[in-house]
Amino acid sequence: MSADNSRSDVLLPLRNLSNSVRCSRDRVRDGESNESSGTFSLSNFWEILNDAVKATSQEATKLSLIFSKPPSEEDCAGIAECVQKSVLTLSTVYFWLPKSQGVTLRKAVRDATVEVLDELLQLMEVILSSPVHSLSQEQLMSTGGVWAACDKFNQLPKDNRSAVLAVLTSNAGLVKDALEEVEQALAETQDPFADVLPDDDEDDEGLGGRGNQDTYWSPSDRLLVSQCRGLMKASGASLRKLSSAVRNTGAVETEDNITQLDDLADAAKDISPGVDDLALSLYPPVDRPAVNHNVCKLACVLKKVLEITRSSHVCAEADVCWVQFLSGAVEHNLEKIESLLNHCGS
């Protein structure tokens, strides 16, 4: 038997393991949970899940160490069986988490589980593609990738309120970044090239000046951008206020409360992309039809979020005022922007 055939036989359990892990990964990513018929203990779930994640990390380490030198056929088959057992346990425990505990929470756990399995697949791919089994830098990095993915479970939200709050605060940060970029652009000079491209009457088209505003805002553009900034500020304020309400009042004692939190997260996750789309359409040259579309779309998202907030359990009596204020601010900015767009288009 040739050396290549012998090596292929040794690696066969690892190839089969890779296929099995890939199937488990796909099942976790696309599958549905097993709805609990009795009382579900979230604390017990986390205890068992953390043990499963720890076991997967340990088996990945053993796998890497075994393949730091040419393994025997028995060693390869043995570690493949142990890794497969840990992966099946991890994916099985994930499926214990029912949707009734929160779709947002389940998505966070699902994404983290898929990441662990993806990193494990990457490690096996490195081992299988290595011509000589040794503890290479690439193999060390892939092993570290599994460890890092497993460690992320320590930072996961432990209930649906925390999961929804994580979504809201993340989106609030993204909106803050987009707003700061627009404000920085507004703070710059009207024409960023005015000092290097002086006005003269000798330009090719005889326009007596730059004539091309594709790289900077005109005064009317700046007025429009400033007003759109108001809608962006209302977006950020809505996310911050909603985050505070969820943090202070959000409840997970009943399925109805959990569902309401999921509805808030589902609606609010469209705010940041809406702000990004609006910001992009504002950069020179300003695409006014796109601005109109994106303003209307963002305003609709904000109104929906505020309406859902108003009817949910997170909206205490003290929160009604800011919900009404921000609803009015959205409408006010929308009217101002539409007026500017209509005036410029007339």
Side-chain angles (χ1 to χ4, degrees), residues 26-327:
D26 293 346
R27 192 166 68 92
V28 169
R29 186 182 57 200
D30 304 324
E32 295 294 329
S33 64
N34 301 318
E35 285 303 318
S36 176
S37 56
T39 302
F40 181 83
S41 172
L42 199 54
S43 59
N44 287 346
F45 166 79
W46 279 111
E47 182 179 351
I48 298 171
L49 181 65
N50 287 331
D51 286 344
V53 171
K54 183 179 179 181
T56 302
S57 179
Q58 291 173 341
E59 296 303 332
T61 303
K62 294 176 186 176
L63 174 66
S64 189
L65 288 173
I66 283 177
F67 281 91
S68 63
K69 58 184 184 297
S72 67
E73 191 170 341
E74 292 76 17
D75 285 343
C76 188
I79 189 59
E81 182 179 352
C82 290
V83 172
Q84 183 171 29
K85 181 180 177 181
S86 69
V87 167
L88 289 175
T89 300
L90 175 61
S91 58
T92 298
V93 174
Y94 159 73
F95 278 111
W96 288 353
L97 182 62
K99 284 184 178 179
S100 57
Q101 289 296 317
V103 173
T104 311
L105 173 64
R106 191 167 181 273
K107 182 181 183 302
V109 179
R110 181 196 69 196
D111 291 348
T113 304
V114 167
E115 184 176 356
V116 168
L117 299 180
D118 274 336
E119 293 294 340
L120 186 57
L121 283 168
Q122 176 63 28
L123 172 59
M124 286 185 284
E125 181 62 31
V126 168
I127 293 173
L128 287 168
S129 62
S130 176
V132 179
H133 292 306
S134 62
L135 203 56
S136 66
Q137 185 65 27
E138 188 178 8
Q139 186 171 323
L140 285 170
M141 290 179 63
S142 294
T143 306
V146 178
W147 295 343
C150 290
D151 287 344
K152 288 183 180 180
F153 275 78
N154 294 325
Q155 282 77 49
L156 285 180
K158 296 302 186 286
D159 59 30
N160 206 48
R161 184 186 72 89
S162 298
V164 170
L165 187 58
V167 171
L168 296 176
T169 53
S170 173
N171 276 269
L174 294 173
V175 169
K176 181 175 180 287
D177 291 342
L179 179 59
E180 286 177 350
E181 288 182 10
V182 171
E183 290 179 334
Q184 182 179 352
L186 275 173
E188 295 175 354
T189 59
Q190 178 174 335
D191 182 351
F193 302 105
D195 56 341
V196 294
L197 294 176
D199 286 346
D200 57 44
D201 295 325
E202 299 177 0
D203 55 276
D204 293 340
E205 299 182 10
L207 295 176
R210 290 283 308 284
N212 180 3
Q213 294 180 352
D214 284 358
T215 57
Y216 66 98
W217 283 315
S218 68
S220 62
D221 288 338
R222 286 180 167 273
L223 189 59
L224 176 62
V225 174
S226 295
Q227 198 62 59
C228 288
R229 183 179 55 174
L231 188 61
M232 294 180 184
K233 286 184 175 180
S235 301
S238 297
L239 285 167
R240 290 193 302 273
K241 285 291 189 178
L242 180 54
S243 296
S244 178
V246 169
R247 184 181 296 108
N248 296 328
T249 320
V252 292
E253 284 73 27
T254 68
E255 286 192 26
D256 186 47
N257 286 346
I258 290 172
T259 300
Q260 288 178 11
L261 290 172
D262 281 331
D263 290 342
L264 285 168
D266 188 56
K269 66 180 174 57
D270 291 329
I271 294 178
S272 175
V275 169
D276 286 341
D277 289 343
L278 176 56
L280 286 173
S281 61
L282 289 170
Y283 281 100
V286 176
D287 186 344
R288 292 180 181 272
V291 170
N292 185 53
H293 171 76
N294 291 326
V295 162
C296 292
K297 183 176 68 173
L298 179 57
C300 286
V301 169
L302 291 172
K303 289 176 182 178
K304 179 181 178 182
V305 170
L306 293 170
E307 287 172 2
I308 294 174
T309 301
R310 182 73 171 83
S311 61
S312 74
H313 72 279
V314 305
C315 186
E317 187 175 349
D319 295 311
V320 174
C321 288
W322 68 258
V323 172
Q324 291 177 340
F325 174 80
L326 287 174
S327 296

